[in-house]
Amino acid sequence: MIKIIDTSKVTDFTVFAREDEKKNEEIEKTVEEIIANVRANGDKALYEYCEKFDRCSLSSLAVSEDEIQEAFDATNDYFIETLKEAKENIAEFHKRQVRNNFVITKEDGIVLGQKITAVEKAGLYVPGGTAAYPSTVLMDAVPAKIAGVKEIVMVTPPSPEGKINPAILTAAKIAGVTKIFKIGGAQAVAALAYGTESVPKVDKIVGPGNIFVATAKKQVYGKVSIDMIAGPSEILVIAEPDCDPSCVAADLLSQAEHDKMASAVLITTEMSFAEKVSDEIERQLKLLPREEIARASIENNGKIFIVDSIKTAVKLSNEIAPEHLEVCVDNPFEILPEITNAGSIFLGKNVPEALGDYFAGPNHTLPTSGTARFSSPLSVDDFIKKTSFIYYSADALQKAHERIEDFANREGLQAHGKSIGIRFNKF
């Protein structure tokens, strides 16, 4: 059963923020060894890990064009059209994020500016374990294409037969992925970070994965950039008591089925409604193919908080800073300005989180574990670099040089000052 917590006498909601994931030293060490092996032995290590972890023997790590086309041809037209429509929705949203170069021209020959350049190669990690996610392919590849990334390299684990889920390959073809490799886990992250005989080294790695993938991304950060270190999936629902309890329960379970560590939280104002939702969760759990996973999530991490008002619910939600926040109230836009910490916000009673996962357009790769307090969803910005440039004429430098030299000397960096003064025969 899901836990129901009455917070009517609580004034400090920080105690309900999700605890940080504890560092697992054994996993850290295992991932460190995998990365070292891939760096030292390249493709040989990847083939060995494929046999060990994926239980398959491959003749090639790369997915061929024939395999991609075969998967596309085997996919029914209805789903292909769905993928294309979702891609257009994602593209329409993310095109609004494109940054432009700018130039500031001042008097006396001063030119300042910023130029935007896409990273040259991006690596996309797409999970393929207990579930396959073609939606992740679209969410990661479309912003990269819009940013102008020249080479998009996707990695995803194969089945024991050495196959990739056809829906993933179809989504990759539609999204414009450049290369695809049959590798997963920490070894795939290592290959993208350092390169092997087959896998090109990339500049940034994005995409969700299990604890080994997340740990590997953390360990290679600095050699390459990463989007974020994603933890287990989360949903928080703020619901008025007149909501349909079956819909609220279904929305909570939509994230609980991801994995046993996922978190599903409801905040409402009436105990009777909380009990109805709890009963609905139990009823619907028994109908789910992934009941074992969802039940573990609900029993270990699921909570229903009873608060005195929707305003208090928002305050508690801001402390938790959830990955997904559903605001199931009649006038959600009145509440929107008060929400400060959430990865993505779903406004109203007709907007289940799954709408954002697959179709609406905003990105579904979101900050977890409370990091929505300071970080953002995956976007076009994740695939670009901002570079500033400066031009001063001789006259412009002449006017500023004494102030710059003085500034440098006050910091004790005389060589900095001399690099300015020498242009005016001071040394």
Side-chain angles (χ1 to χ4, degrees):
M1 294 285 289
I2 193 167
K3 300 178 185 71
I4 300 179
I5 303 169
D6 186 349
T7 68
S8 57
K9 296 182 180 179
V10 175
T11 56
D12 180 12
F13 289 121
T14 59
V15 296
F16 297 123
R18 188 167 181 176
E19 293 183 5
D20 294 337
E21 298 293 328
K22 293 180 180 178
K23 183 177 179 180
N24 188 315
E25 292 185 0
E26 186 175 339
I27 290 177
E28 294 273 349
K29 183 179 179 182
T30 298
V31 169
E32 190 176 311
E33 291 171 353
I34 289 171
I35 292 172
N37 189 15
V38 173
R39 289 186 68 181
N41 298 300
D43 282 358
K44 180 176 181 291
L46 296 178
Y47 282 115
E48 289 172 353
Y49 286 129
C50 190
E51 291 191 7
K52 179 178 181 181
F53 297 127
D54 302 309
R55 303 183 305 281
C56 78
S57 179
L58 298 175
S59 58
S60 172
L61 297 171
V63 177
S64 69
E65 288 297 325
D66 287 344
E67 287 177 285
I68 296 170
Q69 190 61 50
E70 181 182 344
F72 188 86
D73 293 340
T75 303
N76 69 67
D77 292 341
Y78 182 80
F79 186 55
I80 288 174
E81 289 305 312
T82 298
L83 288 172
K84 288 180 177 179
E85 192 169 343
K87 176 195 171 185
E88 290 307 311
N89 291 341
I90 296 165
E92 180 184 17
F93 182 86
H94 287 79
K95 283 176 182 175
R96 302 294 183 95
Q97 298 174 337
V98 173
R99 292 177 180 265
N100 295 316
N101 299 336
F102 67 80
V103 177
I104 302 170
T105 303
K106 297 186 175 183
E107 296 179 358
D108 303 321
I110 297 175
V111 180
L112 310 173
Q114 178 176 278
K115 71 185 294 286
I116 304 296
T117 310
V119 300
E120 189 169 326
K121 296 178 182 178
L124 274 54
Y125 189 95
V126 178
T130 58
Y133 301 112
S135 57
T136 295
V137 180
L138 298 180
M139 291 292 180
D140 291 354
V142 171
K145 293 289 286 187
I146 291 170
V149 177
K150 293 179 181 177
E151 192 169 337
I152 301 174
V153 183
M154 190 178 94
V155 294
T156 189
S159 70
E161 296 74 35
K163 301 289 185 180
I164 302 298
N165 185 290
I168 287 179
L169 294 183
T170 300
K173 181 177 178 66
I174 289 170
V177 172
T178 315
K179 296 178 180 178
I180 306 171
F181 293 93
K182 301 175 183 180
I183 47 175
Q187 60 272 24
V189 174
L192 291 173
Y194 294 98
T196 70
E197 297 91 333
S198 298
V199 184
K201 178 171 63 174
V202 302
D203 303 303
K204 181 151 193 171
I205 301 172
V206 305
N210 63 19
I211 185 62
F212 291 93
V213 172
T215 301
K217 286 171 70 176
K218 181 171 64 174
Q219 290 189 9
V220 301
Y221 176 67
K223 178 64 178 178
V224 293
S225 178
I226 62 172
D227 52 350
M228 61 188 77
I229 301 170
S233 189
E234 307 161 353
I235 185 170
L236 190 153
V237 179
I238 295 174
E240 292 175 332
D242 63 350
C243 288
D244 184 337
S246 64
C247 290
V248 173
D251 291 358
L252 293 170
L253 291 172
S254 73
Q255 291 306 295
E257 74 171 350
H258 265 297
D259 69 64
K260 294 179 180 180
M261 293 302 296
S263 169
V265 174
L266 167 64
I267 309 177
T268 190
T269 57
E270 289 187 8
M271 179 64 75
S272 60
F273 177 70
E275 291 170 345
K276 290 176 184 177
V277 172
S278 177
D279 290 343
E280 267 298 312
I281 288 173
E282 283 302 307
R283 184 184 72 82
Q284 293 183 32
L285 270 171
K286 297 171 184 176
L287 306 176
L288 291 178
R290 294 166 68 85
E291 178 188 356
E292 181 185 0
I293 293 171
R295 185 173 292 281
S297 167
I298 290 295
E299 292 180 353
N300 294 331
N301 303 307
K303 296 181 182 69
I304 300 177
F305 293 104
I306 312 299
V307 296
D308 58 8
S309 67
I310 294 298
K311 183 176 181 180
T312 303
V314 173
K315 181 179 178 183
L316 175 53
S317 175
N318 283 335
E319 283 295 336
I320 296 172
E323 177 187 16
H324 307 96
L325 172 60
E326 288 189 16
V327 184
C328 297
V329 302
D330 288 329
N331 298 301
F333 287 98
E334 292 180 2
I335 295 173
L336 184 58
E338 305 304 316
I339 299 169
T340 54
N341 299 329
S344 187
I345 305 169
F346 303 80
L347 296 169
K349 299 176 180 179
N350 304 307
V351 192
E353 182 276 331
L355 179 63
D357 265 353
Y358 299 113
F359 200 72
N363 210 284
H364 81 193
T365 301
L366 303 169
T368 62
S369 306
T371 60
R373 291 181 297 107
F374 51 79
S375 58
S376 306
L378 188 76
S379 72
V380 171
D381 282 347
D382 280 287
F383 300 99
I384 63 167
K385 301 170 291 179
K386 298 179 285 291
T387 306
S388 60
F389 58 85
I390 304 168
Y391 171 82
Y392 266 54
S393 67
D395 287 343
L397 187 61
Q398 168 72 41
K399 290 183 178 181
H401 81 277
E402 290 182 349
R403 292 192 181 279
I404 301 168
E405 289 177 73
D406 178 66
F407 209 144
N409 290 333
R410 287 175 187 275
E411 291 194 344
L413 298 174
Q414 284 74 22
H416 279 63
K418 287 181 179 180
S419 73
I420 301 291
I422 200 168
R423 285 167 165 76
F424 301 99
N425 300 315
K426 283 198 168 186
F427 306 102

